[in-house]
Amino acid sequence: MDTRRTPRSADRSADRSGSRSGGLHRRTRGGARTAAGLLATAALLVSACSSGSSTTSATAAAERAALVALPRATPAALTPYYAQKPAWRGCGVSGFECATIKAPLDYTKPAAGDVRLAVARKKATGPGKRLGSLLVNPGGPGGSAIGYVQAYAGIGYPAEVRARYDMVAVDPRGVARSEPVRCLSGPEMDTYTQTDNTPDDARETDGLVRAYRTFSEGCGADSPRLLRHVSTVEAARDMDIVRAALGDKKLNYVGASYGTFLGATYAGLFPERAGRLVLDGAMDPSLPARRLNLEQTAGFETAFRSFARDCVRHKDCPLGGAGTSPEQVGENLKAFFEKLDARPAATGAPDGRRLTESLATTGVIAAMYDEGAWQQLREALTSAMKKNDGSGLLVLSDGYYERDADGGYSNLMFANAAVNCLDLPPAFDTPDEVRSALPTFEKASPVFGEGLAWASLNCAYWPVHATGEPHRIEAKGAAPIVVVGTTRDPATPYRWAKALAGQLSSARLLTYEGDGHTAYGRGSSCIDRTINAYLLRGTPPTDGKRCS
């Protein structure tokens, strides 16, 4: 499942935050359990189910399990990490400086080696009293926080926020500039992204399984040690080392999409060090992978129905005219996908790639993240459906996968799978389990359900076992935390925001009644004023406040 943040004003090439599978869509969350020991990170009070095959029992276990805070005192073995002083240097982007901070590869064995974390900041511009650092994370997992702060947050956040805070980003371990996980070459990824993930027979099913195995084996061959230590819990612990290195007593943070899970995990581990935390496009950490993917599937259907209602109001809608129901629009799109399954469309791409059903589906889903992309989607669908020109949908798909014009891919999809498959046991263990669940997924989304169900199989072949499990995060003792949910969010359904706000002991739920993925900085003056007041003055909203 994929939970990427895509603000309208951001450079899309720098952002990728939502079905994290390295497959069609990335799974959106992770668990948090590591081995016990002298330097143990955290433990779940009750161990959850070790298989995604029993959604009900796993959910019930998660309702009992909760993330336990770490001791306030820093263990002696970690003191050298906490005592680091960043050596700031220029990093090629005007106004920003960069540094490298070390963290232990394995927190249970700090002497076993380090992981190097890339950090970037833009210092507060003034006027006004400096409020410390504001860390930002765009989601994913796998989205580059440094790319996000340099392309958007550090220059596009409200001027009054940038005046008072140093804008800071750290790429989580395994992501972008922080020892990135690599899995496949560009040509190999091209083959992977075109794999048919709505198999019609045993031969196509075997082909999809081979693709998942090839992807997983590539990741395991490239990063065998790191792959065991890219969990969300470890990334959250890394943020506390960064906080200390920056000289801040508390962590101030804005996390979007998967970044909400990272931020909530930080609050759960270090409640007394949680400062002003904004969790925008929130995730529910108590869900097992299958339930998570199923609910995100329903979220994309909700977003698609909004797109469908908007599309038929325009004369250029290729999926139906005025008065066409969302159900019929969906049936028309599904018929188009089936046509591509039999005969991919030309794209004019120099490398000869054609628009397959899988690439077209990804292109449509990419546009669901931001209603500002709906016109582009209408135009791309018109070209593909009426002119057999798939170039527009290919552009949308390539943007989703962060594929550049030279055929190279960022490590987004690789890191996405690496984190997700470590954070939670797989949603499905076998193709037969997927087939059994297809009716449920297709009920959740007649358009996307089949593909999203098969995309959920990817972690079954991962080279390392999951260390996390579903759990609640309560963060007892933390200062007020603002949890933001959008009512028609495709990637992080609104129900998740309500669920997380119900778990966090100090949460204030802020609701945006609208479309798109996440809310801050997306055009709602009510949302922006409310969050700015919290960040600048420490004034949280009234719990349950709603904006439109």
Side-chain angles (χ1 to χ4, degrees), residues 410-431:
S410 76
N411 97 306
L412 171 67
M413 301 304 292
F414 312 138
N416 185 276
V419 175
N420 282 312
C421 294
L422 197 62
D423 273 351
L424 278 181
F428 298 105
D429 293 319
T430 67

Side-chain angles (χ1 to χ4, degrees), residues 336-362:
F336 169 62
F337 287 158
E338 291 172 353
K339 181 180 177 181
L340 290 175
D341 190 27
R343 182 172 296 180
T347 65
D351 53 21
R353 284 186 303 154
R354 298 176 69 83
L355 183 70
T356 61
E357 178 189 15
S358 58
L359 290 174
T361 304
T362 300

Side-chain angles (χ1 to χ4, degrees), residues 137-358:
N137 183 282
S144 172
I146 291 179
Y148 177 70
V149 77
Q150 291 179 342
Y152 174 65
I155 57 177
Y157 264 33
E160 57 267 39
V161 173
R162 292 182 285 115
R164 306 284 298 281
Y165 283 101
D166 291 348
M167 299 298 297
V168 178
V170 53
D171 280 346
R173 53 176 63 201
V175 174
R177 298 163 178 83
S178 295
E179 301 197 17
V181 173
R182 304 297 304 182
C183 301
L184 301 177
S185 67
E188 289 170 335
M189 271 298 289
D190 281 346
T191 299
Y192 182 74
T193 60
Q194 295 174 70
T195 301
D196 186 348
N197 66 347
T198 56
D200 299 317
D201 52 34
R203 180 184 61 82
E204 291 183 352
T205 300
D206 290 344
L208 181 59
V209 169
R210 281 196 303 273
Y212 286 148
R213 288 188 185 278
T214 298
F215 184 94
S216 298
E217 289 167 1
C219 296
D222 181 80
S223 310
R225 291 187 68 222
L226 182 62
L227 220 57
R228 291 173 169 80
H229 297 288
V230 291
S231 70
T232 297
V233 162
E234 288 162 315
R237 297 201 68 174
D238 293 344
M239 287 203 303
D240 198 52
I241 289 175
V242 172
R243 173 203 59 78
L246 294 170
D248 293 319
K249 291 184 178 180
K250 293 194 173 185
L251 180 83
N252 301 309
Y253 174 85
V254 177
S257 197
Y258 162 79
T260 67
F261 177 48
L262 181 60
T265 300
Y266 180 89
L269 295 174
F270 306 102
E272 76 285 352
R273 297 175 195 165
R276 299 171 187 178
L277 269 58
V278 177
L279 308 180
D280 183 13
M283 293 174 54
D284 180 358
S286 72
L287 297 179
R290 188 183 303 187
R291 175 78 175 273
L292 191 87
N293 287 356
L294 179 63
E295 293 193 4
Q296 192 186 57
T297 298
F300 278 110
E301 181 67 18
T302 297
F304 175 75
R305 292 172 71 88
S306 287
F307 164 75
R309 286 188 288 268
D310 178 79
C311 186
V312 299
R313 297 189 186 108
H314 298 269
K315 293 182 179 180
D316 64 343
C317 180
L319 296 170
T324 305
S325 69
E327 290 82 5
Q328 185 59 55
V329 171
E331 290 176 10
N332 294 341
L333 181 60
K334 185 70 173 176
F336 169 62
F337 287 158
E338 291 172 353
K339 181 180 177 181
L340 290 175
D341 190 27
R343 182 172 296 180
T347 65
D351 53 21
R353 284 186 303 154
R354 298 176 69 83
L355 183 70
T356 61
E357 178 189 15
S358 58

Side-chain angles (χ1 to χ4, degrees), residues 456-500:
S456 304
L457 181 62
N458 71 302
C459 287
Y461 309 102
W462 202 243
V464 299
H465 291 296
T467 56
E469 294 171 338
H471 59 279
R472 295 170 55 83
I473 301 178
E474 299 172 353
K476 293 179 180 179
I481 297 172
V482 177
V483 177
V484 188
T486 297
T487 55
R488 294 186 295 278
D489 191 313
T492 51
Y494 178 63
R495 194 209 71 76
W496 293 358
K498 293 195 293 183
L500 181 61

